[in-house]
Amino acid sequence: VQLQASGGGSVQAGDSLRLSCAASGPSFSRYHMGWFRQAPGKEREFVTSISRSGGVTSYADSVKGRFTISRDNAKKTVYLQMNGLKPEDTAVYYCAAKNVILSDTRVRVEIDEYDYWGQGTLVTVSS
């Protein structure tokens, strides 16, 4: 599967953005999806993930209550709604995919648990 992230931009603190990650290729619904981010000078970190059906989600504590992940399997797209953005949310955001069986809803927070990565989209939040 190939992943294309979009929707990044420059915003003010408190603003909202919605990122999209469009997948190409068949069987998008077979993939557990995640969003990670990498701030300048820092390691890539887990942000959120969603199970194949969308029924199970998980969030990093730093974004809980502000960010929402969702997916539309018919459109082969996963979304990241980001509200209440803070300057510390500034980073390149990456979507990632892992092919799993339907019953596997285990949360995946580690980079090496994902097989496919998008190119990243930059989010800059100014105070």
Side-chain angles (χ1 to χ4, degrees):
V1 64
Q2 291 184 317
L3 304 174
Q4 180 76 35
S6 62
S10 297
V11 298
Q12 298 287 319
D15 285 350
S16 299
L17 274 178
R18 188 176 80 156
L19 306 183
S20 298
C21 175
S24 61
S27 307
F28 173 72
S29 61
R30 294 184 179 179
Y31 293 89
H32 180 101
M33 301 297 296
W35 284 98
F36 288 71
R37 67 185 181 186
Q38 187 165 17
K42 296 188 177 181
E43 294 186 351
R44 194 171 300 190
E45 65 176 5
F46 171 79
V47 176
T48 179
S49 72
I50 188 166
S51 62
R52 283 180 47 171
S53 67
V56 178
T57 58
S58 181
Y59 298 90
D61 288 343
S62 59
V63 307
K64 204 170 291 184
R66 299 187 298 122
F67 290 11
T68 303
I69 189 172
S70 62
R71 66 189 295 162
D72 185 332
N73 286 343
K75 295 182 178 179
K76 298 184 180 181
T77 302
V78 62
Y79 303 98
L80 179 61
Q81 178 66 43
M82 305 185 294
N83 298 329
L85 283 161
K86 304 175 180 180
E88 51 264 44
D89 294 319
T90 294
V92 177
Y93 284 72
Y94 298 90
C95 57
K98 169 73 175 177
N99 192 334
V100 300
I101 60 175
L102 184 59
S103 60
D104 183 354
T105 59
R106 180 171 61 88
V107 174
R108 290 168 167 80
V109 303
E110 300 295 336
I111 293 171
D112 59 9
E113 293 184 285
Y114 291 83
D115 301 318
Y116 305 95
W117 291 83
Q119 86 292 356
T121 185
L122 176 63
V123 173
T124 304
V125 185
S126 57
S127 57

